[in-house]
Amino acid sequence: MTFDIHKLADVLRAAAKAEILPRFGRLGEGDVRTKTEAKELVTEADEAAERFLKRAFAEMMPEALFIGEESAAADPALLDMALDADLAVVVDPIDGTANFVAGMPLFGVMAAVTRRGETVAGLIYDPMGDDWVLAENGSGAFLLRPQGDKHRLSVAAPVPLQQMAGYVSTDYLPAEIKSGILANLAKPRMFASHRCAAHMYRAFSGGHAHFTMLDRLTPWDHLAGVLIATEAGGHVACFDRSPYDISRRTGALLAATDLYSWDTLMREVFAV
């Protein structure tokens, strides 16, 4: 069972142009709803884009199990099925939905291909910039533009802690450790949050930050990004030092430029 990553990239772009961009800044009453938590939003654009992606991937890869963020919310058993599936496609139709709703141009379309739970390809499409970052296992990570320009991605060179800049998400950290981590974040030079894993992974993998920490391990948010960050030369692991994979649903992960920087950040900033 084979696939063409460039054809997958075209599908993400087509979904964005057909279902996402026409709705950006034009969501009407009733087009935005909350999920189980008030801070979790879903829009008509999320659902329409996921339906588009499901149809397209069914035609392109009929043997693949399809898992979208919205379909997994309706049927959580899909995630367990992916562990044994010979081929699965896991998508986030709009990562950064809160930004999308707010009219902020920081959102992305993410897809990962897995074989028996192992991520073998990852793609993050930026509808506003009209480009992708993508990777296949063992082949490096690249920035790709529609006209065919392709540039290899590489994480930033390591620097001392006090010179590091990073991206951090603390929305889902337990209250008992959140305040300590926020205090420790005075040690690096700066940190910020895009409220969008897609763009945080893109920026880190392109060498524009020295670390990124994300605290909600939903597979559609991380499978593609972790592979891309790793293929760009970064060191990525969960807080307990274990590798991230589709079976991890709780906890947090940290990506850093190298193992030494990862250890430094865990010891000085993210120790829990």
Side-chain angles (χ1 to χ4, degrees), residues 96-261:
T97 298
N99 292 341
F100 182 81
V101 171
M104 299 170 59
L106 282 171
F107 53 91
V109 186
M110 306 177 78
V113 180
T114 66
R115 294 187 189 276
R116 295 195 171 273
E118 179 185 3
T119 308
V120 295
L123 308 91
I124 303 175
Y125 176 65
D126 174 11
M128 303 302 291
D130 195 21
D131 58 21
W132 304 262
V133 295
L134 47 78
E136 292 184 83
N137 194 7
S139 299
F142 297 88
L143 170 68
L144 177 67
R145 296 190 173 93
Q147 59 269 35
D149 296 345
K150 192 173 184 180
H151 305 281
R152 183 178 288 271
L153 297 177
S154 180
V155 299
V159 296
L161 176 62
Q162 64 270 22
Q163 296 178 24
M164 291 184 190
Y167 298 102
V168 177
S169 172
T170 61
D171 291 5
Y172 297 91
L173 286 177
E176 60 269 23
I177 66 171
K178 184 173 183 176
S179 59
I181 287 176
L182 287 172
N184 288 338
L185 281 164
K187 297 177 183 179
R189 179 169 61 86
M190 63 169 289
F191 74 96
S193 174
H194 286 329
R195 300 178 71 199
C196 176
H199 277 281
M200 292 161 77
Y201 277 122
R202 283 175 60 103
F204 172 76
S205 300
H208 304 297
H210 301 97
F211 66 93
T212 187
M213 189 283 282
L214 294 142
D215 63 336
R216 184 170 180 249
L217 300 187
T218 42
W220 41 84
D221 286 330
H222 300 291
L223 291 174
V226 167
L227 178 64
I228 292 165
T230 302
E231 290 292 326
H235 182 81
V236 187
C238 298
F239 273 17
D240 63 3
R241 305 184 71 89
S242 65
Y244 172 76
D245 61 44
I246 196 170
S247 68
R248 295 295 297 257
R249 312 287 165 76
T250 60
L253 64 77
L254 174 66
T257 54
D258 61 337
L259 177 58
Y260 181 82
S261 297

Side-chain angles (χ1 to χ4, degrees), residues 29-111:
E29 186 176 351
D31 289 342
V32 183
R33 300 180 301 283
T34 59
K35 297 184 183 181
T36 54
E37 299 182 58
K39 59 187 173 184
E40 282 293 302
L41 301 177
V42 62
T43 72
E44 177 60 27
D46 293 84
E47 294 172 338
E50 184 164 319
R51 290 192 296 268
F52 184 105
L53 292 167
K54 185 175 183 178
R55 289 192 303 269
F57 285 130
E59 293 177 5
M60 183 183 301
M61 305 162 65
E63 71 279 18
L65 172 69
F66 178 87
I67 303 173
E69 179 178 3
E70 310 312 327
S71 58
D75 183 6
L78 285 170
L79 292 175
D80 294 326
M81 294 171 62
L83 292 171
D84 298 317
D86 290 332
L87 194 67
V89 180
V90 183
V91 306
D92 189 344
I94 302 180
D95 183 67
T97 298
N99 292 341
F100 182 81
V101 171
M104 299 170 59
L106 282 171
F107 53 91
V109 186
M110 306 177 78

Side-chain angles (χ1 to χ4, degrees), residues 21-32:
L21 288 174
R23 293 178 168 91
F24 182 54
R26 299 178 179 88
L27 294 171
E29 186 176 351
D31 289 342
V32 183

